[in-house]
Amino acid sequence: MVGDLQVDLASVVARFGSKLQAAGVPVAADRSGRFAAAIGLVPPIGLTELYWLGRVTLVSQQSHLEIYDRVFAQIFAGIVDPADFRGDQPPAPTGAPGRLLPRGREAVSQLSQPQAHYPSWLGDVGEGRDEESSQEASLAATLSVEERLRNKDFATFSELELADLRRLTTRFAFATPQRRSRRLVRSIRGGRIDIRATLRHARRTGGEPVHLVHRRHRTRSRRLVLLCDISGSMEPYARVYLQLLLGGVHGTSAEAFVFATRLTRLTKVFKGVIPAVALDRAGRSAPDWSGGTRIGDALATFNNDYGRRGFSRGAIVVILSDGWDCGAPGVVAREMARLHLLAFRVIWVNPRKAAPMYAPLVQGMAEALPYVDTFVSGHSLAALEEVLDAIGSAVG
């Protein structure tokens, strides 16, 4: 630990987090937990290491860097007293008469080694950066990507952030619950006795069934079906949800569909190609991209052409849509009822649900909701974790 001091880690982290919160930096309990875990995993040997551990786990916006630097200096060196300047420019530090204390990263730098440097992974980079500090900044930038994007709404992502998101979504684990198959496999013990196999073995022991052969039902993962709305109202989110469809096809052999005014199957389009090519093919395969929305007609096509063929029987069906429907009233309710009878679980992902005053009042969403088992927002990386948890839940 810094300075070889034996301190209570929990109290230090809690005090640091509360000071940052009071100064205007939003620090939730999960971020403080990550800070404590990082200290336990990589114990810092100086203020430089401690500074970066806190910065990559606690700070998510460039505007908070100056505040973080001042609070860090006050907590771990007693130089700056950060008053409550939430929403305002931090005041200049004060000290003894005739002595001006250093500010921000300059203060932290002087508290550590004389050559220590604190480049910013969110903004400016100071002069004199050597090779070691460059590698440190690069590592901090990599570790901070997920933290910066974790709670950001997908609709506000820039092209650069979408590229970062593509790398993060490759780590998603699509794990569907297991189901019992009708097929039997040989088992060492348990299950039913295989009479034929037991009698065959008995011929080797003079007709005495010394060894009993058992068989049991094999288990297999439930099928995952993903249907994504690519209409105009869902365009800000559709480009992200296509990454989810691609990950599902590559990770669990899921079935992927998109719809606006008609239903398009993308499973074969996504298989066997790199993500960039797959997404380009998806755009060309769906001519109704950013068009109107006919959820009921798309569900009817799925139920008639794919559902009864076994695609949705006992499957986890995930529908990603905001519920806006231009079709005839009652069609969504009828087709959702049919789908609900076949599927093991129906999960509806609506990014508009994240709004504080949201209510499912639009026609399509109001008709579909009675037949939905799990209703989540999925508007950010953190919200997508709820989607993955719902997919993996064994409760129908």
Side-chain angles (χ1 to χ4, degrees):
M1 225 10 229
V2 180
D4 297 327
L5 295 177
Q6 300 298 325
V7 297
D8 183 359
L9 175 60
S11 64
V12 171
V13 171
R15 183 187 176 203
F16 191 30
S18 64
K19 286 287 187 180
L20 287 172
Q21 187 78 25
V25 179
V27 178
D30 59 335
R31 291 190 180 181
S32 295
R34 293 193 192 101
F35 182 37
I39 293 177
L41 184 63
V42 186
I45 59 176
L47 284 179
T48 302
E49 292 80 4
L50 183 62
Y51 172 89
W52 279 113
L53 286 177
R55 184 153 151 181
V56 300
T57 55
L58 299 175
V59 181
S60 60
Q61 296 184 24
Q62 183 176 0
S63 59
H64 296 154
L65 291 179
E66 184 71 18
I67 302 175
Y68 171 82
D69 293 342
R70 291 174 177 273
V71 174
F72 181 90
Q74 189 267 335
I75 293 295
F76 295 103
I79 288 184
V80 181
D81 182 17
D84 188 4
F85 39 75
R86 183 189 303 273
D88 299 323
Q89 183 68 21
T94 58
R99 177 173 179 265
L100 181 64
L101 293 178
R103 300 182 59 181
R105 286 180 290 277
E106 185 180 346
V108 178
S109 177
Q110 294 185 15
L111 295 174
S112 185
Q113 303 171 2
Q115 301 301 322
H117 182 69
Y118 301 87
S120 171
W121 48 267
L122 289 174
D124 56 277
V125 178
E127 299 178 356
R129 179 174 63 182
D130 56 14
E131 181 179 356
E132 181 179 356
S133 64
S134 176
Q135 294 176 354
E136 188 177 47
S138 178
L139 176 61
T142 302
L143 294 176
S144 67
V145 169
E146 183 175 359
E147 180 66 24
R148 287 191 294 111
L149 303 182
R150 179 175 175 78
N151 295 301
K152 187 172 183 178
D153 195 298
F154 290 145
T156 64
F157 273 35
S158 64
E159 291 300 326
L160 181 60
E161 290 171 333
L162 284 175
D164 292 332
L165 182 66
R166 294 188 188 102
R167 291 190 290 269
L168 293 176
T169 52
T170 58
R171 300 184 299 177
F172 283 172
F174 293 85
T176 58
Q178 300 290 307
R179 68 175 180 87
R180 193 178 76 164
S181 171
R182 294 181 179 180
R183 188 180 299 274
L184 297 173
V185 294
R186 183 169 293 185
S187 174
I188 298 177
R189 61 178 64 86
R192 65 179 64 177
I193 297 177
D194 188 336
I195 301 298
R196 290 185 178 181
T198 299
L199 292 178
R200 283 198 302 267
H201 279 272
R203 291 186 299 179
R204 306 174 187 175
T205 56
E208 294 292 334
V210 178
H211 301 288
L212 298 179
V213 180
H214 294 82
R215 285 187 176 274
R216 61 173 177 81
H217 289 278
R218 64 176 295 186
T219 59
R220 59 184 301 178
S221 298
R222 292 188 177 275
R223 185 192 301 271
L224 177 63
V225 180
L226 302 165
L227 297 98
C228 180
D229 185 346
I230 57 170
S231 62
S233 63
M234 282 288 292
E235 185 176 7
Y237 298 95
R239 54 183 181 171
V240 176
Y241 289 157
L242 280 179
Q243 303 286 338
L244 193 67
L245 268 63
L246 183 62
V249 171
H250 287 177
T252 61
S253 299
E255 288 290 338
F257 298 84
V258 294
F259 64 89
T261 57
R262 71 178 190 177
L263 185 74
T264 304
R265 186 185 179 199
L266 295 182
T267 306
K268 294 182 179 180
V269 175
F270 282 163
K271 283 186 176 179
V273 294
I274 61 176
V277 175
L279 295 176
D280 179 65
R281 289 183 180 179
R284 288 181 291 171
S285 301
D288 55 342
W289 189 287
S290 296
T293 317
R294 294 186 177 273
I295 300 176
D297 294 342
L299 290 177
T301 302
F302 174 77
N303 288 333
N304 294 333
D305 297 347
Y306 301 99
R308 291 190 298 182
R309 288 165 46 188
F311 277 42
S312 59
R313 191 177 300 276
I316 308 295
V317 180
V318 181
I319 302 174
L320 304 107
S321 173
D322 57 4
W324 286 92
D325 181 48
C326 301
V331 178
V332 174
R334 184 188 70 230
E335 297 303 327
M336 282 295 296
R338 294 176 60 194
L339 180 62
H340 191 262
L341 289 175
L342 292 173
F344 176 74
R345 184 187 306 116
V346 178
I347 303 169
W348 195 292
V349 181
N350 185 344
R352 312 298 179 186
K353 182 178 181 291
M357 302 299 293
Y358 172 79
L361 301 179
V362 296
Q363 173 184 308
M365 195 70 258
E367 292 184 7
L369 203 54
Y371 306 101
V372 173
D373 299 304
T374 306
F375 187 39
V376 292
S377 65
H379 68 290
S380 65
L381 274 175
L384 280 185
E385 293 180 0
E386 299 181 24
V387 179
L388 297 179
D389 291 341
I391 291 174
S393 175
V395 180

